[in-house]
PDB file of all heavy atoms in Angstrom:
ATOM      1  N   VAL A 245     199.107 -89.641  25.819  1.00 94.00           N
ATOM      2  CA  VAL A 245     199.400 -89.514  24.451  1.00 94.00           C
ATOM      3  C   VAL A 245     198.638 -88.324  23.889  1.00 94.00           C
ATOM      4  O   VAL A 245     197.437 -88.124  24.099  1.00 94.00           O
ATOM      5  CB  VAL A 245     199.082 -90.708  23.655  1.00 94.00           C
ATOM      6  CG1 VAL A 245     199.338 -90.583  22.086  1.00 94.00           C
ATOM      7  CG2 VAL A 245     199.758 -91.994  24.128  1.00 94.00           C
ATOM      8  N   VAL A 246     199.333 -87.509  23.188  1.00 94.00           N
ATOM      9  CA  VAL A 246     198.747 -86.329  22.481  1.00 94.00           C
ATOM     10  C   VAL A 246     199.517 -86.145  21.097  1.00 94.00           C
ATOM     11  O   VAL A 246     200.677 -86.448  20.965  1.00 94.00           O
ATOM     12  CB  VAL A 246     198.803 -85.075  23.374  1.00 94.00           C
ATOM     13  CG1 VAL A 246     200.246 -84.564  23.527  1.00 94.00           C
ATOM     14  CG2 VAL A 246     198.034 -83.849  22.713  1.00 94.00           C
ATOM     15  N   SER A 247     198.812 -85.705  20.087  1.00 95.00           N
ATOM     16  CA  SER A 247     199.453 -85.477  18.798  1.00 95.00           C
ATOM     17  C   SER A 247     199.031 -84.145  18.204  1.00 95.00           C
ATOM     18  O   SER A 247     198.026 -83.614  18.475  1.00 95.00           O
ATOM     19  CB  SER A 247     199.151 -86.593  17.848  1.00 95.00           C
ATOM     20  OG  SER A 247     197.820 -86.489  17.355  1.00 95.00           O
ATOM     21  N   LEU A 248     200.026 -83.622  17.397  1.00 94.00           N
ATOM     22  CA  LEU A 248     199.769 -82.308  16.741  1.00 94.00           C
ATOM     23  C   LEU A 248     200.285 -82.395  15.326  1.00 94.00           C
ATOM     24  O   LEU A 248     201.391 -82.960  15.088  1.00 94.00           O
ATOM     25  CB  LEU A 248     200.572 -81.327  17.469  1.00 94.00           C
ATOM     26  CG  LEU A 248     200.241 -79.767  17.253  1.00 94.00           C
ATOM     27  CD1 LEU A 248     198.882 -79.416  17.657  1.00 94.00           C
ATOM     28  CD2 LEU A 248     201.281 -78.879  17.961  1.00 94.00           C
ATOM     29  N   ARG A 249     199.509 -81.916  14.387  1.00 94.00           N
ATOM     30  CA  ARG A 249     199.942 -81.939  12.978  1.00 94.00           C
ATOM     31  C   ARG A 249     200.200 -80.466  12.538  1.00 94.00           C
ATOM     32  O   ARG A 249     199.390 -79.573  12.800  1.00 94.00           O
ATOM     33  CB  ARG A 249     198.778 -82.510  12.142  1.00 94.00           C
ATOM     34  CG  ARG A 249     199.190 -82.851  10.704  1.00 94.00           C
ATOM     35  CD  ARG A 249     198.130 -83.680  10.052  1.00 94.00           C
ATOM     36  NE  ARG A 249     198.624 -84.085   8.750  1.00 94.00           N
ATOM     37  CZ  ARG A 249     198.028 -83.623   7.603  1.00 94.00           C
ATOM     38  NH1 ARG A 249     196.945 -82.829   7.687  1.00 94.00           N
ATOM     39  NH2 ARG A 249     198.472 -83.983   6.399  1.00 94.00           N
ATOM     40  N   LEU A 250     201.328 -80.326  11.862  1.00 91.00           N
ATOM     41  CA  LEU A 250     201.779 -79.007  11.494  1.00 91.00           C
ATOM     42  C   LEU A 250     202.209 -78.999   9.994  1.00 91.00           C
ATOM     43  O   LEU A 250     202.629 -80.062   9.504  1.00 91.00           O
ATOM     44  CB  LEU A 250     202.926 -78.447  12.237  1.00 91.00           C
ATOM     45  CG  LEU A 250     202.860 -78.369  13.767  1.00 91.00           C
ATOM     46  CD1 LEU A 250     203.473 -79.669  14.364  1.00 91.00           C
ATOM     47  CD2 LEU A 250     203.588 -77.164  14.313  1.00 91.00           C
ATOM     48  N   ARG A 251     202.065 -77.800   9.332  1.00 87.00           N
ATOM     49  CA  ARG A 251     202.660 -77.787   8.003  1.00 87.00           C
ATOM     50  C   ARG A 251     204.104 -77.364   8.067  1.00 87.00           C
ATOM     51  O   ARG A 251     204.414 -76.333   8.757  1.00 87.00           O
ATOM     52  CB  ARG A 251     201.834 -76.830   7.152  1.00 87.00           C
ATOM     53  CG  ARG A 251     202.336 -76.747   5.703  1.00 87.00           C
ATOM     54  CD  ARG A 251     201.302 -75.928   4.834  1.00 87.00           C
ATOM     55  NE  ARG A 251     200.070 -76.647   4.732  1.00 87.00           N
ATOM     56  CZ  ARG A 251     199.850 -77.681   4.028  1.00 87.00           C
ATOM     57  NH1 ARG A 251     200.806 -78.198   3.225  1.00 87.00           N
ATOM     58  NH2 ARG A 251     198.650 -78.257   3.970  1.00 87.00           N
ATOM     59  N   ALA A 252     204.987 -78.001   7.420  1.00 80.00           N
ATOM     60  CA  ALA A 252     206.404 -77.687   7.436  1.00 80.00           C
ATOM     61  C   ALA A 252     206.879 -77.607   5.929  1.00 80.00           C
ATOM     62  O   ALA A 252     207.197 -78.558   5.252  1.00 80.00           O
ATOM     63  CB  ALA A 252     207.257 -78.758   8.112  1.00 80.00           C
ATOM     64  N   GLY A 253     206.889 -76.305   5.409  1.00 76.00           N
ATOM     65  CA  GLY A 253     207.165 -76.158   4.022  1.00 76.00           C
ATOM     66  C   GLY A 253     206.124 -76.793   3.112  1.00 76.00           C
ATOM     67  O   GLY A 253     204.909 -76.539   3.297  1.00 76.00           O
ATOM     68  N   ASP A 254     206.546 -77.665   2.183  1.00 77.00           N
ATOM     69  CA  ASP A 254     205.588 -78.321   1.339  1.00 77.00           C
ATOM     70  C   ASP A 254     205.172 -79.695   1.869  1.00 77.00           C
ATOM     71  O   ASP A 254     204.545 -80.466   1.183  1.00 77.00           O
ATOM     72  CB  ASP A 254     206.136 -78.417  -0.087  1.00 77.00           C
ATOM     73  CG  ASP A 254     207.465 -79.252  -0.062  1.00 77.00           C
ATOM     74  OD1 ASP A 254     207.995 -79.533   1.005  1.00 77.00           O
ATOM     75  OD2 ASP A 254     207.927 -79.665  -1.237  1.00 77.00           O
ATOM     76  N   ARG A 255     205.523 -80.060   3.113  1.00 82.00           N
ATOM     77  CA  ARG A 255     205.166 -81.255   3.767  1.00 82.00           C
ATOM     78  C   ARG A 255     204.337 -81.011   5.024  1.00 82.00           C
ATOM     79  O   ARG A 255     204.237 -79.850   5.464  1.00 82.00           O
ATOM     80  CB  ARG A 255     206.391 -82.029   4.122  1.00 82.00           C
ATOM     81  CG  ARG A 255     207.165 -82.569   2.856  1.00 82.00           C
ATOM     82  CD  ARG A 255     208.427 -83.305   3.330  1.00 82.00           C
ATOM     83  NE  ARG A 255     209.094 -83.901   2.188  1.00 82.00           N
ATOM     84  CZ  ARG A 255     208.833 -85.201   1.831  1.00 82.00           C
ATOM     85  NH1 ARG A 255     207.943 -85.939   2.475  1.00 82.00           N
ATOM     86  NH2 ARG A 255     209.437 -85.774   0.818  1.00 82.00           N
ATOM     87  N   CYS A 256     203.917 -82.031   5.599  1.00 87.00           N
ATOM     88  CA  CYS A 256     203.227 -81.987   6.888  1.00 87.00           C
ATOM     89  C   CYS A 256     203.913 -82.841   7.841  1.00 87.00           C
ATOM     90  O   CYS A 256     204.518 -83.866   7.528  1.00 87.00           O
ATOM     91  CB  CYS A 256     201.730 -82.418   6.791  1.00 87.00           C
ATOM     92  SG  CYS A 256     200.669 -81.248   5.873  1.00 87.00           S
ATOM     93  N   LEU A 257     203.919 -82.397   9.140  1.00 89.00           N
ATOM     94  CA  LEU A 257     204.607 -83.127  10.198  1.00 89.00           C
ATOM     95  C   LEU A 257     203.622 -83.454  11.375  1.00 89.00           C
ATOM     96  O   LEU A 257     202.933 -82.595  11.744  1.00 89.00           O
ATOM     97  CB  LEU A 257     205.700 -82.162  10.745  1.00 89.00           C
ATOM     98  CG  LEU A 257     206.538 -82.630  11.907  1.00 89.00           C
ATOM     99  CD1 LEU A 257     207.594 -83.711  11.397  1.00 89.00           C
ATOM    100  CD2 LEU A 257     207.331 -81.441  12.469  1.00 89.00           C
ATOM    101  N   THR A 258     203.558 -84.736  11.710  1.00 91.00           N
ATOM    102  CA  THR A 258     202.808 -85.148  12.780  1.00 91.00           C
ATOM    103  C   THR A 258     203.763 -85.402  13.997  1.00 91.00           C
ATOM    104  O   THR A 258     204.638 -86.281  13.903  1.00 91.00           O
ATOM    105  CB  THR A 258     202.020 -86.431  12.539  1.00 91.00           C
ATOM    106  OG1 THR A 258     201.074 -86.219  11.492  1.00 91.00           O
ATOM    107  CG2 THR A 258     201.284 -86.997  13.758  1.00 91.00           C
ATOM    108  N   VAL A 259     203.579 -84.554  15.059  1.00 92.00           N
ATOM    109  CA  VAL A 259     204.313 -84.769  16.283  1.00 92.00           C
ATOM    110  C   VAL A 259     203.563 -85.389  17.388  1.00 92.00           C
ATOM    111  O   VAL A 259     202.477 -84.894  17.619  1.00 92.00           O
ATOM    112  CB  VAL A 259     204.881 -83.361  16.721  1.00 92.00           C
ATOM    113  CG1 VAL A 259     205.815 -83.555  17.919  1.00 92.00           C
ATOM    114  CG2 VAL A 259     205.618 -82.712  15.618  1.00 92.00           C
ATOM    115  N   VAL A 260     204.022 -86.424  17.978  1.00 93.00           N
ATOM    116  CA  VAL A 260     203.321 -87.184  18.977  1.00 93.00           C
ATOM    117  C   VAL A 260     204.137 -87.085  20.291  1.00 93.00           C
ATOM    118  O   VAL A 260     205.392 -87.366  20.329  1.00 93.00           O
ATOM    119  CB  VAL A 260     203.098 -88.639  18.616  1.00 93.00           C
ATOM    120  CG1 VAL A 260     202.314 -89.433  19.743  1.00 93.00           C
ATOM    121  CG2 VAL A 260     202.420 -88.739  17.283  1.00 93.00           C
ATOM    122  N   SER A 261     203.472 -86.694  21.361  1.00 91.00           N
ATOM    123  CA  SER A 261     204.047 -86.672  22.692  1.00 91.00           C
ATOM    124  C   SER A 261     203.465 -87.842  23.429  1.00 91.00           C
ATOM    125  O   SER A 261     202.317 -88.021  23.656  1.00 91.00           O
ATOM    126  CB  SER A 261     203.763 -85.428  23.381  1.00 91.00           C
ATOM    127  OG  SER A 261     204.160 -85.417  24.760  1.00 91.00           O
ATOM    128  N   ALA A 262     204.415 -88.680  24.081  1.00 91.00           N
ATOM    129  CA  ALA A 262     203.972 -89.837  24.832  1.00 91.00           C
ATOM    130  C   ALA A 262     204.611 -89.927  26.136  1.00 91.00           C
ATOM    131  O   ALA A 262     205.884 -89.535  26.241  1.00 91.00           O
ATOM    132  CB  ALA A 262     204.165 -91.125  23.948  1.00 91.00           C
ATOM    133  N   TYR A 263     203.980 -90.560  27.111  1.00 88.00           N
ATOM    134  CA  TYR A 263     204.581 -90.697  28.418  1.00 88.00           C
ATOM    135  C   TYR A 263     204.156 -92.089  28.902  1.00 88.00           C
ATOM    136  O   TYR A 263     202.988 -92.421  29.151  1.00 88.00           O
ATOM    137  CB  TYR A 263     204.112 -89.592  29.400  1.00 88.00           C
ATOM    138  CG  TYR A 263     204.758 -89.679  30.741  1.00 88.00           C
ATOM    139  CD1 TYR A 263     206.137 -89.527  30.903  1.00 88.00           C
ATOM    140  CD2 TYR A 263     203.981 -89.937  31.909  1.00 88.00           C
ATOM    141  CE1 TYR A 263     206.819 -89.541  32.073  1.00 88.00           C
ATOM    142  CE2 TYR A 263     204.651 -89.942  33.181  1.00 88.00           C
ATOM    143  CZ  TYR A 263     206.029 -89.692  33.224  1.00 88.00           C
ATOM    144  OH  TYR A 263     206.659 -89.819  34.449  1.00 88.00           O
ATOM    145  N   ARG A 264     205.152 -92.984  29.073  1.00 86.00           N
ATOM    146  CA  ARG A 264     204.871 -94.381  29.306  1.00 86.00           C
ATOM    147  C   ARG A 264     204.286 -94.624  30.758  1.00 86.00           C
ATOM    148  O   ARG A 264     204.496 -93.817  31.663  1.00 86.00           O
ATOM    149  CB  ARG A 264     206.247 -95.141  29.188  1.00 86.00           C
ATOM    150  CG  ARG A 264     207.104 -95.146  30.541  1.00 86.00           C
ATOM    151  CD  ARG A 264     207.707 -93.783  30.797  1.00 86.00           C
ATOM    152  NE  ARG A 264     208.592 -93.794  31.980  1.00 86.00           N
ATOM    153  CZ  ARG A 264     208.222 -93.454  33.222  1.00 86.00           C
ATOM    154  NH1 ARG A 264     206.966 -93.148  33.449  1.00 86.00           N
ATOM    155  NH2 ARG A 264     209.116 -93.399  34.199  1.00 86.00           N
TER     156      ARG A 264
END
Side-chain angles (χ1 to χ4, degrees):
V245 181
V246 65
S247 73
L248 193 67
R249 190 165 183 249
L250 306 95
R251 183 168 298 281
D254 59 350
R255 292 178 173 269
C256 290
L257 180 71
T258 294
V259 183
V260 181
S261 171
Y263 186 60
R264 84 289 184 266

